[in-house]
Amino acid sequence: MRAARTVLVTLGVLVIAFGAVVLVTTVSPARIGGLATWLLAAVILHDAILSPFVVLVGLGLRRAGRALRVWVLVVVQAAVVLGCVLALVVLPEIAAKHHGAKNPTVVPFDYTTRLLVVEGALLVVVVAALAVGWLTARRRSRVVETTTIS
């Protein structure tokens, strides 16, 4: 186990060093500030908004997990994670479109509308899964009640 950790830490340090070399050799010094701002914003967005949201949804699902089937929990968790990752990936395109690009073909689409449509579709899937799961849980509890009463 210790050897595996050593290999993974060494590999991680080498990947970070490679990334630093590529950053210094390919990005002009004038653009490093903008890159640092974007990276800081991504960390803040992830740590202050997306991660707490996913944790709260997970806690809520744990409580509901006593009544709902596993497949419902998996659908909801997958939709939440997918929606968060999609938002994290698409937000830079929305910002680039808002600030205007030198070449309009770089960000040609209306990313805000497309993100809202996909997030809305994920919400519909979650609501449908929860509704079906809730109905089947109620039906299952009624069957158990009638069999125990008889």
Side-chain angles (χ1 to χ4, degrees):
M1 188 61 132
R2 186 174 176 94
R5 284 186 186 156
T6 304
V7 168
L8 289 174
V9 168
T10 304
L11 186 63
V13 169
L14 289 174
V15 168
I16 290 171
F18 176 72
V21 168
V22 170
L23 174 70
V24 171
T25 58
T26 60
V27 177
S28 68
R31 299 197 59 171
I32 291 181
L35 179 63
T37 302
W38 185 88
L39 288 172
L40 181 64
V43 168
I44 290 170
L45 177 66
H46 177 270
D47 292 348
I49 298 171
L50 297 180
S51 291
F53 177 71
V54 170
V55 167
L56 289 175
V57 169
L59 290 174
L61 288 174
R62 232 180 241 159
R63 285 188 172 187
R66 296 181 186 110
L68 295 174
R69 297 240 171 165
V70 173
W71 69 267
V72 177
L73 303 177
V74 169
V75 168
V76 174
Q77 285 176 332
V80 168
V81 170
L82 182 62
C84 288
V85 170
L86 182 65
L88 191 61
V89 168
V90 174
L91 285 175
E93 280 82 9
I94 292 171
K97 182 81 171 180
H98 176 71
H99 295 302
K102 293 179 183 176
N103 183 352
T105 61
V106 173
V107 282
F109 305 114
D110 184 12
Y111 295 103
T112 305
T113 303
R114 289 178 179 207
L115 177 64
L116 291 175
V117 166
V118 173
E119 296 286 353
L122 286 172
L123 181 63
V124 167
V125 168
V126 166
V127 168
L130 288 172
V132 169
W134 182 70
L135 289 173
T136 57
R138 283 192 60 187
R139 188 175 303 136
R140 192 173 13 138
S141 68
R142 284 183 185 163
V143 169
V144 170
E145 287 175 7
T146 58
T147 56
T148 57
I149 293 173
S150 301

